[in-house]
Amino acid sequence: MKNDYLFTSESVSEGHPDKICDRISDAVVDYMLAKYSEARVACETMVSTNRTIIAGEYRLPVGINITNDEVEKLVRETVYDIGYEQDGYHWEKMHFECHLHSQSSNIAVGVDKSGNKDEGAGDQGLMFGYACNETDALMPAPIYYAHKILKELSEIRRKDKNSILLPDSKSQITLEYKDGIPIKASSVVVSTQHKQNCSQEEIRELVRKTVNKVLPDGWMCSEEDFYVNPTGIFEIGGPDGDAGLTGRKIIVDTYGGVSPHGGGAFSGKDPTKVDRSAAYLTRYLAKNVVAAGLASKCTIQIAYAIGVSKPLSIYVNTEGTGNIDDNKIEKILVNLVDMSPRGIREHLKLNKPIYVPTSAYGHFGRIPDEGIDGSFSWEKNDLVDAILKEV
């Protein structure tokens, strides 16, 4: 592997059109899980100029119902919280359509526990988890700092109602690696929507202060490699500037391109869907392997078949950084955690309304209980002692 190289990752804010959709879809998931912890949900959202459409399927027990009016109220409140009161996309004035319906009975039969059959996976697929020791959060440095820049800008906007910043923004950071270790930013790109009649220099200065605050000392790139709103004015943004869909930012949601990705999105899915829960499990396992000092990098893959509880495979790759054989790490992890869909949900306590905070700034590298009590349980290092005992 190359030791000296440049690597780039990007992030997008909660006001990006695709992230609005992720937020709405996860708000629907949380709403139903709050009503019934075993709810089944698969919700997709599409947004465009003053228009929001949701569709998908769900299952709640007899006697627990939802109405379109409830869902509409939830969606409008979500858009309001993000900060959209613009002519082209307004929480109160936008057109809303709801096309949620009951879950397919064929899927339910395959997934449900019955007789001697344990609960099966909600779909086939492969999921990846990753951890490395580049940051305290055991995340790759490029995506970690790309998220932090936008989170800081969001906090500035939310704290100051007169801020020139508006909800839609993107960041991209290129880091220089020396001997496999990140040492500084080679370039930084930030595009942020803003109010009318703002000078680009004013925006640039605000962003510069934010980036300098986020990056470690001495990491800031040169002024000529620092790009803020490179196309100029960015007044029209959000769904009025570009349509959005749920599940379109899966690399932003995970590891910024450093790790492989199984292809499945997370938002809008209840935890019986292994696209979501098993991706959380593999991150949890990889993070605990690195936290235990068994490796400085760890990639884990797991695979499932729809309706089958037992994983089809588990694969560990420490990229030559492991202190013990990767096959031994696999056996240790299999012995420590029940990797069936039910086992994952119970171990990580996923049947709770904890998913809205995951919908922006990444599902990984967060602080356990960040935003909502019980959220980001997969970021805990509580498996370290058990791993070391097995070793």
Side-chain angles (χ1 to χ4, degrees):
M1 296 177 64
K2 294 171 65 175
N3 289 321
D4 301 340
Y5 56 92
L6 302 177
F7 196 89
T8 303
S9 293
E10 71 160 345
S11 179
V12 296
S13 71
E14 76 253 39
H16 184 280
D18 295 329
K19 279 288 145 198
I20 297 171
C21 295
D22 286 344
R23 171 75 176 271
I24 290 171
S25 294
D26 274 338
V28 172
V29 170
D30 280 0
Y31 186 71
M32 294 197 187
L33 287 175
K35 283 180 171 288
Y36 179 60
S37 64
E38 301 290 330
R40 301 286 169 80
V41 195
C43 178
E44 307 289 346
T45 303
M46 190 277 282
V47 296
S48 185
T49 302
N50 262 333
R51 184 174 297 270
T52 300
I53 302 169
I54 68 171
E57 57 277 352
Y58 67 93
R59 189 179 68 178
L60 294 168
V62 175
I64 300 180
N65 301 305
I66 61 166
T67 66
N68 282 1
D69 287 345
E70 288 178 83
V71 175
E72 179 172 354
K73 182 175 183 291
L74 174 70
V75 171
R76 291 189 186 279
E77 288 174 348
T78 299
V79 174
Y80 174 79
D81 184 68
I82 294 171
Y84 274 102
E85 294 184 283
Q86 302 171 12
D87 290 340
Y89 192 67
H90 194 291
W91 68 274
E92 193 173 30
K93 300 175 183 177
M94 68 184 183
H95 175 74
F96 175 73
E97 295 178 33
C98 179
H99 301 282
L100 294 173
H101 60 82
S102 297
Q103 183 188 51
S104 162
S105 59
N106 295 133
I107 293 176
V109 168
V111 174
D112 288 350
K113 179 180 180 181
S114 62
N116 294 324
K117 175 185 173 295
D118 196 3
E119 176 187 301
D123 201 354
Q124 71 176 43
L126 52 134
M127 301 83 208
F128 285 93
Y130 181 78
C132 64
N133 60 5
E134 291 180 9
T135 61
D136 291 341
L138 302 187
M139 285 288 288
I143 189 69
Y144 177 77
Y145 290 114
H147 285 323
K148 287 196 73 172
I149 290 167
L150 294 189
K151 285 183 74 175
E152 186 70 23
L153 289 173
S154 176
E155 289 179 14
I156 292 171
R157 173 177 65 87
R158 288 178 174 277
K159 288 177 181 177
D160 180 6
K161 291 185 178 180
N162 296 316
S163 173
I164 60 175
L165 301 175
L166 291 175
D168 191 2
S169 59
K170 303 175 74 171
S171 67
Q172 182 174 287
I173 185 166
T174 301
L175 295 186
E176 180 181 344
Y177 283 73
K178 196 78 172 176
D179 295 325
I181 298 172
I183 59 169
K184 66 176 182 177
S186 171
S187 66
V188 176
V189 184
V190 177
S191 296
T192 179
Q193 187 187 15
H194 56 84
K195 292 181 178 178
Q196 293 181 354
N197 303 319
C198 297
S199 74
Q200 291 302 307
E201 188 51 45
E202 183 183 7
I203 297 166
R204 185 181 180 88
E205 184 59 28
L206 175 59
V207 173
R208 182 191 288 107
K209 288 181 179 179
T210 303
V211 174
N212 272 316
K213 177 181 177 181
V214 166
L215 292 180
D217 290 342
W219 276 40
M220 185 61 177
C221 64
S222 65
E223 191 65 20
E224 64 181 11
D225 293 312
F226 178 56
Y227 304 93
V228 178
N229 289 0
T231 59
I233 295 174
F234 186 6
E235 294 175 355
I236 300 173
D240 191 29
D242 193 9
L245 293 169
T246 303
R248 289 264 290 259
K249 290 292 179 283
I250 58 177
I251 300 302
V252 170
D253 284 343
T254 52
Y255 308 102
V258 171
S259 166
H261 195 294
F266 305 151
S267 291
K269 298 175 182 177
D270 74 78
T272 66
K273 278 72 170 175
V274 284
D275 274 348
R276 180 167 220 159
S277 57
Y280 291 170
L281 174 72
T282 51
R283 162 63 179 175
Y284 173 68
L285 297 176
K287 187 178 183 186
N288 275 271
V289 166
V290 174
L294 297 191
S296 58
K297 296 180 182 181
C298 183
T299 300
I300 296 179
Q301 185 207 59
I302 195 166
Y304 292 88
I306 188 169
V308 180
S309 62
K310 183 180 178 181
L312 304 183
S313 66
I314 179 170
Y315 162 81
V316 173
N317 183 0
T318 58
E319 301 180 32
T321 69
N323 296 322
I324 65 173
D325 187 82
D326 290 353
N327 291 328
K328 291 182 180 179
I329 296 177
E330 289 175 14
K331 291 177 181 178
I332 289 171
L333 298 179
V334 168
N335 289 336
L336 289 179
V337 179
D338 178 356
M339 299 185 189
S340 69
R342 176 185 53 79
I344 298 170
R345 290 189 295 113
E346 291 177 355
H347 188 95
L348 297 178
K349 298 179 174 59
L350 298 180
N351 280 104
K352 298 178 179 181
I354 57 174
Y355 298 105
V356 163
T358 70
S359 62
Y361 311 116
H363 292 245
F364 309 122
R366 309 289 287 272
I367 301 169
D369 299 322
E370 182 182 331
I372 295 177
D373 183 41
S375 62
F376 301 104
S377 59
W378 50 94
E379 290 296 313
K380 293 181 178 180
N381 293 336
D382 57 5
L383 208 60
V384 168
D385 289 344
I387 289 174
L388 292 175
K389 184 178 180 181
E390 287 290 317
V391 172

